Amino acid sequence: MDEWWLVFIPDPERWGPLPAEGVLGVRDLPAALDEVGLRPGDPVFVRPDFVVDAELLQFVLAPEFRGLERE
């Protein structure tokens, strides 16, 4: 696969039940997102090798981006 993925953090009520074994190796995904600072509606850019792009994530978490309205 050579395509980038753009995913949005869903609203908590749309998550449904999370598997006990975790998601992508993360046991408590809501807490992990809170720790990073991601909120519902935030975009996450995933590289073709299925790794979150750290530089684009920093842009999403930047104060300039935070002031924009949610899509």
Side-chain angles (χ1 to χ4, degrees):
M1 176 175 144
D2 59 351
E3 296 180 9
W4 283 67
W5 291 73
L6 171 61
V7 295
F8 292 89
I9 304 298
D11 290 310
E13 62 271 5
R14 295 187 61 202
W15 287 37
L18 296 173
E21 67 274 8
V23 177
L24 299 174
V26 178
R27 291 218 179 258
D28 188 350
L29 188 57
L33 293 175
D34 284 343
E35 186 176 320
V36 172
L38 288 169
R39 303 179 299 208
D42 284 346
V44 176
F45 301 88
V46 182
R47 301 184 326 210
D49 60 357
F50 303 106
V51 174
V52 172
D53 186 287
E55 290 181 12
L56 287 173
L57 183 59
Q58 290 305 313
F59 171 73
V60 168
L61 297 172
E64 297 82 9
F65 189 87
R66 283 284 181 219
L68 300 176
E69 287 189 39
R70 180 178 172 181
E71 289 256 348

